[in-house]
Amino acid sequence: MRKLSIGVSALAVAAAGITVTATTVSAHPAAAGKVVIKTRQVSPYGTILTTSSGRSLYLFSGDTKGHSHCTGGCASEWPAVIVPHGDKLTGVSGLGTIKRGSKRQAALHGKPLYRFSGDGARGQVNGQGVEGSWFVATPSGA
């Protein structure tokens, strides 16, 4: 069943005319003690942010600068990008962290970054536009 779901997602992406090419912001792969945010070209969205493994990152319009409003079931569907204490966050200008309970969540210009549980593979952007509140993160934060 999982393979069917991934196949359908790939078909949906192909039908939507979305193409994906990767660009690495950091010349070095993520190492212990470092969380690297990369960029990837995704048509028609342009340059978006990804994890070091190529998973798309998202911003939630319900968040405020420095604070996540995605909790409970929302946090299960939209996992926060956590930066372990002592690790350095690198990749694009404007990156930082916000406090999320006892953890540090990656943020872009103070807005929390998330992954989407519905993205089963690198380069997927199935979370784009969900509920009119979730959007792929771009280097400018738009």
Side-chain angles (χ1 to χ4, degrees):
M1 186 104 168
R2 188 165 179 80
K3 286 184 181 179
L4 176 62
S5 172
I6 292 170
V8 170
S9 295
L11 286 174
V13 168
I18 297 172
T19 57
V20 177
T21 57
T23 303
T24 302
V25 173
S26 173
H28 306 289
K34 185 187 283 189
V35 176
V36 179
I37 302 297
K38 298 180 179 185
T39 62
R40 178 179 284 270
Q41 290 294 318
V42 178
S43 178
Y45 308 113
T47 303
I48 68 166
L49 302 184
T50 70
T51 64
S52 60
S53 61
R55 302 301 274 293
S56 300
L57 296 179
Y58 297 87
L59 295 169
F60 176 45
S61 63
D63 284 341
T64 54
K65 188 173 183 178
H67 186 72
S68 170
H69 293 281
C70 179
T71 60
C74 175
S76 295
E77 193 164 340
W78 299 90
V81 178
I82 299 299
V83 179
H85 289 283
D87 283 7
K88 183 178 178 182
L89 180 64
T90 64
V92 298
S93 179
L95 287 174
T97 60
I98 64 164
K99 187 175 171 94
R100 185 179 181 95
S102 63
K103 298 180 180 181
R104 297 185 315 149
Q105 181 174 357
L108 181 66
H109 306 296
K111 297 276 294 211
L113 291 169
Y114 304 87
R115 291 179 298 108
F116 178 49
S117 63
D119 287 344
R122 64 182 12 199
Q124 290 185 337
V125 289
N126 297 323
Q128 173 64 21
V130 169
E131 298 176 7
S133 298
W134 292 93
F135 303 95
V136 288
T138 65
S140 68

